Amino acid sequence: MRALVLSVLLSGCVSYTVGPGHVLHPRRDAETGGLALDSAAVAEAVPGTTVESFPIQTPDGVALYGLRARHTAPDDARPTVLYFGGNGFRMSALGMKKLVPLLRTGADVVLVDHRGHGRSPGTATVDALKADALAVFDAVAAEVGAERVVVHGHSLGSFLASHVGAHRDAGGVVLENSATTTGAYVRSRYDFYPVFRPFVRLDVDPALADEGSLGPVREITEPLLILAGALDARIPARMSRELYAASPLAPGRKRLAVFETAGHNRVPFHRDFPRVYRSFLALVRAGASMSGPSGASHATN
């Protein structure tokens, strides 16, 4: 967004429309042979786990590239986290960083390269990604049961996770560093450069402006965990607080955790993340309400 504003200013333009091309940044892998993750490295990082291919066929015929990491110890009630990465996420580049913290919470994990990203073919569009997210959920739910699937999305992936949560009966939904809407996100980035306001007008493509988690979060009936980094310079933590407030769930079925020393990509590495996440997984397992008068949790160290 910084480059966008600067380029507009330097070009002398006074109005610029932000469209899908400014939000979606797909990047394909040059090599596609073998697994995108080193299964031995995963097993070394989290002993007692295995990694296997988990391809997903979309209704329009695109074969999405997916991997499933599982704990070998038997547990019929173990949740499976379906993880949707952020903008530009590729398993070959970021898979280990995202997978290991989740595996260490005790859950199994499914990762998928978005359409047009990594090893998944096709062209990434907003509508296609949303349809793919439902197809991926359905594939995972068919394997383990919908009630055991926790849909977790980071940043752009949180839009997909909230979309799934609003249209499917999952075991739980996790929104990490999520924006309320694309329009609000763009305005927040624009406000970061107040000196440019007299010179540049940023508009958001109407087809994109309302995309985000704010609408879907009002439809989510599953247990909800909202995670944010107080030091997030991309998506302000106040948007996570707004999502928490917008959710109609009772306090015992929703939780907000703001990690005071975490930025946009560091929430899973905060020392309190395992505790917060395991507590949420326990709620999913038990199907019971969380204790406490407010349901909100603030990690400060």
Side-chain angles (χ1 to χ4, degrees):
M1 184 57 65
R2 178 181 303 177
L4 175 96
V5 175
L6 287 174
S7 64
V8 171
L9 182 60
L10 292 174
S11 68
C13 297
V14 295
S15 179
Y16 200 90
T17 299
V18 178
H22 300 109
V23 176
L24 300 177
H25 302 288
R27 183 179 176 184
R28 296 291 307 278
D29 283 352
E31 299 180 5
T32 57
L35 296 180
L37 295 178
D38 185 341
S39 57
V42 174
E44 181 179 358
V46 188
T49 57
T50 62
V51 180
E52 62 191 11
S53 177
F54 191 79
I56 298 100
Q57 192 77 16
T58 69
D60 63 346
V62 173
L64 300 178
Y65 182 81
L67 292 178
R68 177 167 57 181
R70 294 195 284 186
H71 295 264
T72 56
D75 183 349
D76 291 338
R78 179 180 290 119
T80 293
V81 174
L82 169 56
Y83 181 85
F84 294 117
N87 202 352
F89 172 78
R90 293 178 298 144
M91 275 188 277
S92 60
L94 296 170
M96 280 290 290
K97 290 183 178 180
K98 304 300 183 179
L99 176 63
V100 170
L102 293 173
L103 279 177
R104 286 175 174 165
T105 67
D108 293 339
V109 183
V110 172
L111 301 173
V112 180
D113 279 339
H114 301 309
R115 177 185 297 238
H117 294 66
R119 303 188 181 192
S120 290
T123 300
T125 67
V126 172
D127 288 342
L129 293 179
K130 289 164 66 175
D132 289 351
L134 295 177
V136 174
F137 174 84
D138 291 343
V140 177
E143 290 276 333
V144 304
E147 72 283 355
R148 289 173 53 192
V149 182
V150 174
V151 188
H152 180 147
H154 170 242
S155 194
L156 175 68
S158 68
F159 293 4
L160 304 180
S162 62
H163 179 71
V164 172
H167 290 84
R168 295 290 190 271
D169 293 325
V173 177
V174 180
L175 307 180
E176 178 190 345
N177 300 99
S178 183
T180 49
T181 66
T182 302
Y185 165 73
V186 170
R187 288 191 295 273
S188 73
R189 301 303 294 148
Y190 182 47
D191 289 344
F192 191 70
Y193 304 99
V195 68
F196 296 150
R197 289 180 195 164
F199 308 102
V200 181
R201 175 183 173 182
L202 288 180
D203 297 318
V204 182
D205 187 327
L208 192 66
D210 293 332
E211 293 291 342
S213 295
L214 184 59
V217 81
R218 298 183 175 122
E219 306 298 324
I220 292 174
T221 58
E222 304 94 331
L224 174 67
L225 174 62
I226 299 176
L227 305 171
L231 301 182
D232 191 340
R234 298 185 190 178
I235 300 177
R238 63 172 173 77
M239 290 194 182
S240 289
R241 295 187 176 95
E242 291 169 9
L243 291 173
Y244 179 83
S247 167
L249 292 174
R253 292 180 61 78
K254 64 180 179 179
R255 172 169 289 182
L256 168 68
V258 179
F259 300 95
E260 298 297 333
T261 59
H264 188 70
N265 294 308
R266 300 301 298 176
V267 164
F269 307 103
H270 192 280
R271 69 181 187 182
D272 287 335
F273 173 82
R275 172 184 59 80
V276 170
Y277 212 90
R278 289 189 185 110
S279 175
F280 183 72
L281 293 180
L283 174 66
V284 172
R285 279 178 176 265
S289 295
M290 289 184 178
S291 61
S294 68
S297 171
H298 296 273
T300 57
N301 294 315

